[in-house]
Amino acid sequence: GAVRILANVVLWPPAVVAFVMWAAQTFFAVCNMTSFECNRGPARIDYLAGTRDCGMPFWRGVCGNLRTFCCFMDGGWDALSIAVEPWVPKLWRPPGSVSTEEKETECVTFLE
């Protein structure tokens, strides 16, 4: 009995924390959003000025967001190719302004 209780006390909290972290990161990947954008909101981030809270201006649909997140952003897609090229760092340009017009998709946000 005591070992079982001790095991539950020791193992369940890290398991719950790991599940919450996994759920949050999966949500960010599906929404093409970062935790910084989610926490700060459009009122305090210049390139999101004029958008709504959780407006998801970079939304490309679930499949498009997951394809970008899993395959194109980290070189995972390139790792599957036969040709091996030397790694070159990607130079990102600063984000410009975001269009606040509604996109023609089946779902602009998950929270509406």
Side-chain angles (χ1 to χ4, degrees):
V3 173
R4 178 180 247 170
I5 292 171
L6 182 63
N8 283 331
V9 168
V10 171
L11 295 177
W12 275 104
V16 170
V17 169
F19 176 76
V20 169
M21 292 288 292
W22 172 82
Q25 295 305 316
T26 300
F27 172 76
F28 292 143
V30 167
C31 297
N32 199 13
M33 180 187 298
T34 65
S35 58
F36 176 75
E37 293 167 345
C38 184
N39 291 332
R40 300 282 301 224
R44 295 190 282 171
I45 301 175
D46 292 338
Y47 66 89
L48 292 179
T51 62
R52 299 177 316 192
D53 284 341
C54 296
M56 297 184 217
F58 307 111
W59 176 259
R60 294 182 187 146
V62 173
C63 292
N65 291 343
L66 289 177
R67 185 179 312 116
T68 300
F69 181 81
C70 296
C71 300
F72 298 126
M73 296 300 286
D74 65 350
W77 187 259
D78 296 335
L80 297 175
S81 68
I82 296 173
V84 177
E85 297 178 14
W87 180 81
V88 177
K90 184 168 186 138
L91 298 175
W92 295 94
R93 62 179 171 77
S97 62
V98 176
S99 172
T100 58
E101 296 179 13
E102 295 290 329
K103 294 182 180 179
E104 296 294 327
T105 61
E106 69 277 357
C107 178
V108 175
T109 68
F110 286 138
L111 304 176
E112 289 183 343

